[in-house]
Amino acid sequence: MKQNTESKKALPKRKQYTIIALAAFIVFAFLANMFFDAFTLRVFNLCAIYIVLALSLNLLNGFTGLFSLGHAGFMAVGAYVSALLTMSTQLKDMNYFLEPIVPWLHHVTLPFLPAIIIAGLVSGFVGFLIGSPVLRLRDDYLAIATLGFGEIIRVLITNAQSITNGAQGLKGLPRYSTTFAVWVTAGLVVLFMVLLMRSSYGRALKAVRDDELAAEAMGINVFKVKVTSFTMSSFLAGIGGALLGHMITTIDPKMFTFMLTFNILLIVVLGGIGSISGSVISAIVVTILMEVLRFLDEPMNFIIFKTDGLPGLRMVVFSLLLMIIIIYRQRGLMGSKEFSWDMLTGLFVKRGHKGGDHV
Amino acid sequence: MSETSSNLMLSTSRLSMKFGGLTAVNDFNLEIGKNEIVGLIGPNGAGKTTAFNVITGMYNPSEGKVFFQNRDITGLKPHSITALGIARTFQNIRLFKEMSVLENVLVACHMSIKSGMFASTLHLPGYRAREADARRFSMELLEKVGLSHLAYEKGTSLPYGQQRRLEIVRALATKPKMLLLDEPAAGMNPQESLELMKFIRKIRDEFDLTIFLIEHHMQVVMGVCEHMYVLDYGVTIAHGDPASIQKNPKVIEAYLGVD
Amino acid sequence: MTLSLLFQHIVNALSLGSLYALIAIGYTMVYGILRLINFAHGDVFMLGAYVAFYGMTIVALPWWAALLVSIVFTALFGIGLERAAYRPLRDSPRISIMISAIGASFLLESLGVLIFGGRPKGVPVPDVLSRVIHFGSVSMIMISLIIPLFTFALLGVLVWIVNKTKTGMAMRAVSTDIEAARLMAVNVNKIVSFTFGIGSLLAALGGILWSFKYPQLNPLMGMMPGLKCFIAAVIGGIGSIGGAVLGGFLMGFIEIMTVAFLPTLSGYRDAFAFILLIVVLLVKPTGLLGKRQAEKV
C-alpha cells in the first residue's frame, strides 16, 4: 500500500468507504436472498461462483504468468468428488443403474463443508500431480499440455462408469450452494487473493511472471513456486466446480469441456490479466450478460413477428467480445491495476487521474 | 594467484560448456580470493556470459566443476547457488517490469523472509516481523545508493544508469558473499563508467564482498580489478594482474580490430 | 484376425493418417513462421467441408467443381483470418495472439452453428468415390484409396514450393528469423498470408475428403481433428513439414489400430492423443524431426 504523506490522512476514510460498501453488499445479498425470484437469485449466486473460478485462473494466468487451459478438468474433479461425498446411498442407487457404484463410495455421505474441502484438496492434489511434470514446459506448450490434461480428466470420468456413472452423469445433487455458501466462499477467496498478493509470496509469484530467470537469480525456487501456484489454483477450481455442481444439481462430463474454460478465460481477459478487482467485476458482468443474452439463442416473440431463435448467436457475441478485447484493449478493464476509491473519485473529479499504486 | 585454500571464494576446474558443436567455454580454470575484485574480459562472443551462467547454475556445464568456498556447487539450481551467497546481475538488465523500485528489492528479500504461501498470506506474526525487517533493510539499501526517493516509481521507468544501479542493489539484497556483475558499465560513457567502478569498490568494502565482473572494454576495469582473466573463443588466453595483461601480446592480438 | 482384415485396417489408417497430415501441415507451417498455435485451424477445416457441401447441394455443382470453389474460398478466408485476428497482435506477447486464436476458433464454431445449423448434415458422396472395389478378399471404398494418393501428390507439390521456389525460400527465411528476413527485404506480410493461404487450402481439402469418407457434417467437427492434428505436428516436430506428415500418419495408425486390436480401450481413444502429446513434450519437446533451439539467457 502506498504510504505517501498525502494519503496517510485519507486512509481511514478509504477504509470507511470499504466497510460501508461491504455492509451495503451484505444487506443487498440478504434482500436478494429473500426477494429475488428463483432465476434471478441463481444468476446472482452464479456470479459468486464465477468470481471464485476467475480468481483461480487469474492466480495462474495473471499473477504467475502460467497459461493454463485445463481449468474445466479441475472443476470436474471438484464437482464429482463433492457430489459423490454428499449424495445419499439411496440417491446413488437411483443414479447408478448401468453399473453399481463401487462399494467404498456407496455408503459415504458427508455434510457439505467437509465434502467441499475434500473436493478442493483432491483437485489440488491432481493439480500437483499434473503440475510437477507439465510445469517444465513454457508458454503455448504449457497451454496445450494443460488443455490435454483437462481432456484426459474428462475422458477418464466418462469411462470410470462404476465411480462416476460415466456419460450418464449424476442427478439430484443436494442443493447446497445457497446464497450464503457461495458468497462467503467468494468473499474468502477474494480476501485470500488480496492478502496473498500483498505478501512476500505474492511478490515472488509476480517476479516469476515478470522474469523467471531473474527471479531464480534472486533465490526464488521458481519451479516450486509454479507448482504451488498451480496446486492452489487447482484447489480453488475444485471448490468452484463443487459449488457449481451443487447449484445446477446435475453434472455430467459434457459440462466440463474446453468451452467452460473459455468462459472463465473470457472473464479473466475482460477484467484484466493480473487484477483481482478486475476479475471480480468482470465475473459479475459476464455472468449476467451470459444469462441476459440467453434470449438470443431462444425463439423470440416480438408481438409483430416471431423468430425461430438463433442458437449460437450468444457464443458469437462472446467470442467476438474476447477477440475485440485482446486486439484493441489487451489489458482488459483494469489492466493489472486494482480498484481503489481514488480511482473512483478520480473518475468523477477529472478524467485520466491515476489511481493509487499498490506496492 | 597464490591464495591459500581457506581464503579461496570461487574457483572452477577444467570448466567447459558446449552447445552442440560449439564450445562456448573451454577448460576454464579460475581462482578468486576473498575480497578480490576480478575482471573477466574478452571480445564479444568470447564466452564470458556463458561462464557466468555456468557458475550461477543457469547452465549445467558439459565438463568440469565449480567450487564456492571449497564446496562443490556444480549442477546446483540457480536459486540454491544464490542462497549459498552468490548474487548476479544481467548483461541486458532484467528488472521485474511490473514492479516498483522497492518491490524489485523486496523480491530479493523473499529468501530471507522464509515464509511459504500460507504463512505470508495469513500474515502470521513471524512473517510480519520479517517482512517489516525486509522493508527496512531494502529502504536502507536504496538510501545507500541514492535511489530511496524513487522507491515507489516503476523500476523500468528509471533512466538506464539507475536501472543498472537498481539491479546491483537488488543483488545485494540477497545478502551475498560474492557478486557477479555482467557488463555493469555497458552503455555508459567514460565518466559514468569511472564513477561506477568507484561505486563497485565502495560496495566491496562496505558489504565485505568478493566481486567478479565481466567487461568488454579493457580500459574500464584496468583501474578497479586486482586480477583479470582474458577469454577469446572460449579459451583463457591470459590471466594475471592488469599491468601484465595490458602488455600480453596474445591479448593485444585478440583485441586488435575490436577496440 | 485375417490378413485381409489387417490389410483393410492399414488402408484405413493410411487414409485417416493422410487427412491428419493435411491438417497438421497447416499447423506446423503457421507455427514455424509466427510461433502461433492457430486454434482456429480445425474450424477452417470444417468451413472447407461445409462450403463444398453447399456447392454440391444448393448450387448443384459437380463435386470436383465444388471442391475447387471451396479450397479457393477457404484459402482466401484463412488469409483474411490472419489479417483480422492475428496481424494486429504480431508484436504482442505470444499469449495474447493465442487468446485471439482461441476466440477465433469459438467464433467460427458458433458462427457455424448459427449459419449452418447445429444439426448434422448428410453429405452426398459422389458415386465415383463411394464405389466399392475388391482386391481378392479385401474390399474397400474408393475414397480410402484416393485420399492417400491425393495427399502424396500434394505433398510433392508442397515440398517443391518450399525447397525450390523463391517464395519457399522466403518462407524458410521468415521461419528462421523474422527480423533478419525483414532486413533482407523479404515481404514478411506477404509470406505470412501465403502460408495461411496454403495451410487453409490444405485444411479445406482435408475437410472435404473427410466429409466424403465420414459423410456427416456438423459445426464442431473440426474441434477434435484440429487438436489431434496439432498434436501430430508437435509429435513430428513442430515447424517441420516432414514431421507433420509423419506425426499425422502416426496418429492415424495409433487410432485405427487401438480401436481394431484393443476395442476395450476405444472409450479412451481421444485421451491417447493427449497422453502421447504429453509424453513427447516431456521426453523430446522438439518432436521426432524437430530441430533443437538453444535458449538464450
Side-chain angles (χ1 to χ4, degrees), chain B residues 52 85-89 168 171-172 176-181 203 209-213:
Chain B
F52 260 37
I86 302 181
R88 71 170 288 178
T89 64
I168 295 176
L172 287 176
K177 300 178 184 116
M178 171 140 201
L179 196 56
L180 270 60
L181 304 172
I203 58 172
L209 289 170
T210 307
I211 292 175
F212 188 30
L213 63 95

Side-chain angles (χ1 to χ4, degrees), chain C residues 9-286:
Chain C
H9 286 317
I10 292 177
V11 173
N12 269 334
L14 267 180
S15 67
L16 183 62
S18 304
L19 292 172
Y20 282 163
L22 284 177
I23 311 170
I25 291 171
Y27 275 113
T28 226
M29 292 203 314
V30 166
Y31 193 93
I33 286 187
L34 291 182
R35 304 282 176 270
L36 158 71
I37 299 174
N38 182 10
F39 269 92
H41 194 60
D43 307 301
V44 170
F45 157 94
M46 174 271 293
L47 182 70
Y50 266 99
V51 173
F53 168 79
Y54 284 115
M56 287 188 293
T57 53
I58 294 183
V59 194
L61 291 172
W63 68 271
W64 51 268
L67 187 145
L68 279 179
V69 169
S70 168
I71 59 175
V72 171
F73 176 86
T74 313
L76 292 175
F77 182 86
I79 294 169
L81 175 72
E82 187 270 327
R83 282 198 180 213
Y86 305 148
R87 192 168 297 181
L89 291 169
R90 198 173 293 161
D91 299 319
S92 311
R94 276 161 80 181
I95 294 310
S96 303
I97 184 165
M98 193 157 123
I99 292 174
S100 183
I102 294 171
S105 167
F106 275 86
L107 179 63
L108 290 182
E109 278 161 22
S110 40
L111 274 178
V113 174
L114 191 66
I115 297 168
F116 307 140
R119 234 172 283 139
K121 287 187 161 46
V123 179
V125 183
D127 292 339
V128 220
L129 300 177
S130 56
R131 212 161 17 128
V132 179
I133 40 177
H134 302 275
F135 292 100
S137 62
V138 184
S139 53
M140 60 194 68
I141 305 169
M142 191 66 165
I143 186 77
S144 300
L145 276 181
I146 287 190
I147 289 173
L149 293 177
F150 227 89
T151 305
F152 281 111
L154 274 169
L155 276 179
V157 175
L158 188 65
V159 169
W160 176 78
I161 290 177
V162 172
N163 289 321
K164 299 285 178 210
T165 64
K166 221 176 157 190
T167 314
M169 202 163 80
M171 280 170 75
R172 280 180 290 145
V174 172
S175 77
T176 313
D177 188 337
I178 200 163
E179 276 315 308
R182 192 172 282 147
L183 292 175
M184 306 306 273
V186 172
N187 186 339
V188 172
N189 283 338
K190 220 169 97 186
I191 294 301
V192 171
S193 290
F194 182 75
T195 308
F196 268 85
I198 298 262
S200 308
L201 182 150
L202 293 175
L205 199 67
I208 299 163
L209 293 175
W210 182 286
S211 74
F212 288 161
K213 190 168 160 53
Y214 309 101
Q216 213 182 43
L217 300 182
N218 78 72
L220 305 182
M221 66 185 273
M223 227 158 135
M224 240 346 183
L227 280 173
K228 283 182 186 165
C229 292
F230 172 73
I231 294 171
V234 172
I235 291 171
I238 199 134
S240 141
I241 290 177
V245 175
L246 181 69
F249 278 107
L250 209 62
M251 192 71 94
F253 265 87
I254 291 174
E255 209 176 309
I256 295 285
M257 295 305 165
T258 7
V259 176
F261 292 97
L262 304 164
T264 47
L265 290 182
S266 57
Y268 295 91
R269 187 175 156 168
D270 288 343
F272 282 141
F274 289 109
I275 293 172
L276 200 62
L277 166 80
I278 287 158
V279 171
V280 169
L281 283 182
L282 295 176
V283 177
K284 195 169 188 300
T286 47

Side-chain angles (χ1 to χ4, degrees), chain B residues 59-235:
Chain B
Y59 295 148
N60 262 333
S62 316
E63 269 167 68
K65 297 226 171 285
V66 184
F67 297 92
F68 180 61
Q69 294 186 312
N70 295 316
R71 180 181 163 175
D72 187 355
I73 60 164
T74 324
L76 287 186
K77 292 272 210 150
H79 66 88
S80 316
I81 292 178
T82 307
L84 287 175
I86 302 181
R88 71 170 288 178
T89 64
F90 296 90
Q91 187 176 351
N92 45 342
I93 307 172
R94 282 174 170 263
L95 293 173
F96 301 114
K97 54 184 178 298
E98 298 281 329
M99 295 190 195
S100 69
V101 168
L102 176 61
E103 277 180 300
N104 262 287
V105 183
L106 280 170
V107 166
C109 299
H110 180 67
M111 207 167 46
S112 57
I113 291 178
K114 285 196 207 87
S115 288
M117 183 182 253
F118 291 101
S120 49
T121 302
L122 298 176
H123 288 66
L124 297 180
Y127 163 76
R128 258 181 218 222
R130 288 192 295 269
E131 167 85 13
D133 284 346
R135 278 180 184 270
R136 205 173 310 118
F137 174 67
S138 301
M139 279 311 274
E140 277 168 20
L141 275 181
L142 286 172
E143 210 139 316
K144 271 181 191 157
V145 297
L147 287 175
S148 57
H149 61 292
L150 298 166
Y152 298 101
E153 301 296 322
K154 211 170 226 189
T156 44
S157 70
L158 263 47
Y160 186 79
Q162 285 180 333
Q163 286 195 31
R164 284 248 172 245
R165 242 161 224 250
L166 175 57
E167 228 202 353
I168 295 176
V169 175
R170 194 178 65 172
L172 287 176
T174 67
K175 302 189 174 138
K177 300 178 184 116
M178 171 140 201
L179 196 56
L180 270 60
L181 304 172
D182 194 347
E183 294 209 22
M188 291 185 177
N189 64 35
Q191 181 58 36
E192 287 168 329
S193 301
L194 202 69
E195 266 170 39
L196 181 79
M197 294 306 145
K198 267 189 218 152
F199 173 68
I200 287 173
R201 199 177 290 141
K202 193 182 115 190
I203 58 172
R204 188 261 313 257
D205 298 338
E206 198 167 338
F207 296 92
D208 188 29
L209 289 170
T210 307
I211 292 175
F212 188 30
L213 63 95
I214 291 182
E215 186 44 59
H216 172 66
H217 299 277
M218 212 189 322
Q219 298 311 322
V220 176
V221 285
M222 275 300 162
V224 73
C225 290
E226 285 125 16
H227 263 102
M228 285 175 141
Y229 285 78
V230 189
L231 281 187
D232 192 23
Y233 295 108
V235 179

